[in-house]
Amino acid sequence: MDASFWLDKWERNETGFHAPEPHTFLLRNFPALKLSNGAQVFVPLCGKTVDIHWLLAQGFRVTGSELSQIAVENLFQDLGYKPEITLTDYGPCYSAGCLRVFVGDIFRLDADALGSVDAVYDRAALVALPQDMRRLYAAHIIQITQAAQQLLVCLDYAQAKRGGPPFSVDERELSTLYAAHYTLTELEAEAVPGGLKGICPAQEMVWLLSPKRL
């Protein structure tokens, strides 16, 4: 998998992964982060997720990172926002109101460009990446957010029965990726109706990653 895989998906409008409603895990579990009004939430690999609509409606500021300019343009159009576009070392940055989204390879985004982050909401970023990239991604997010707390949604299924994405990320892998910096708490889990793409049973889980203060 490389950047062209996802760019081609958006070019061909093959976006079946895009959900039309905010994730129920977000609605039920976001309060666990205990954020104040106006807090900054980072949404990596955000696409045009309507979860951002919900976060903005709750009074949070949102920063996203997304590879596809098509996805970002769709997001702002769906919100009815006319973005201001500025060029950064990372790539174009779209902004309007309490939303800004960096367009480009997330591995080029650094802490200075991102700024202060109160929480990370990872619904579909970690599970979109193959295993070798997940290690790099997790370390990168920890570094650029200064180990900000996270609400992380992932899937657990028999990876041998289906190739990703989305990929299976079980508790053992999460511990390997994050336990040095966070205490991991499973908040909720439920079976995916009909299994994953009808191929195999799967569970979707949401985790709270609370920073360890050393």
Side-chain angles (χ1 to χ4, degrees):
M1 290 178 62
D2 55 21
S4 63
F5 175 88
W6 293 108
L7 293 174
D8 288 347
K9 288 281 188 184
W10 284 101
E11 285 282 354
R12 297 193 298 263
N13 197 31
E14 295 176 357
T15 55
F17 49 83
H18 173 70
E21 301 291 338
H23 200 302
T24 54
F25 281 176
L26 172 68
L27 306 184
R28 293 195 294 259
N29 294 285
F30 201 77
L33 294 170
K34 299 179 180 178
L35 297 177
S36 58
N37 190 55
Q40 182 73 248
V41 180
F42 179 47
V43 185
L45 311 189
C46 63
K48 61 174 184 178
T49 178
V50 293
D51 291 348
I52 287 178
H53 298 226
W54 185 86
L55 290 167
L56 293 170
Q58 307 313 303
F60 299 114
R61 294 177 294 130
V62 178
T63 295
S65 173
E66 169 55 41
L67 184 65
S68 168
Q69 188 165 336
I70 293 173
V72 176
E73 290 174 350
N74 286 347
L75 172 63
F76 279 81
Q77 183 176 9
D78 292 346
L79 285 162
Y81 290 176
K82 183 177 181 179
E84 177 182 348
I85 305 172
T86 56
L87 295 179
T88 71
D89 292 339
Y90 167 72
C93 180
Y94 285 57
S95 61
C98 292
L99 174 65
R100 63 174 180 157
V101 181
F102 292 95
V103 183
D105 181 353
I106 193 169
F107 292 103
R108 292 183 54 205
L109 183 62
D110 60 28
D112 289 339
L114 182 59
S116 177
V117 171
D118 297 300
V120 177
Y121 172 57
D122 183 335
R123 170 180 176 172
L126 183 68
V127 297
L129 303 172
Q131 188 173 32
D132 57 342
M133 291 187 69
R134 291 197 293 270
R135 290 192 294 269
L136 297 173
Y137 164 83
H140 184 62
I141 295 299
I142 291 168
Q143 189 272 320
I144 65 174
T145 68
Q146 300 180 60
Q149 62 179 329
Q150 297 192 36
L151 193 68
L152 171 62
V153 179
C154 61
L155 287 163
D156 188 4
Y157 65 92
Q159 187 72 82
K161 293 186 177 181
R162 184 190 184 276
F167 293 94
S168 176
V169 182
D170 61 18
E171 182 175 358
R172 180 181 296 181
E173 182 176 355
L174 286 177
S175 181
T176 299
L177 295 175
Y178 295 108
H181 294 87
Y182 297 99
T183 299
L184 281 67
T185 305
E186 182 181 316
L187 298 179
E188 190 174 350
E190 61 183 23
V192 176
L196 189 64
K197 308 293 184 182
I199 296 174
C200 62
Q203 272 214 327
E204 191 171 32
M205 297 156 291
V206 57
W207 294 84
L208 176 65
L209 277 56
S210 304
K212 292 180 177 178
R213 301 306 181 192
L214 302 180

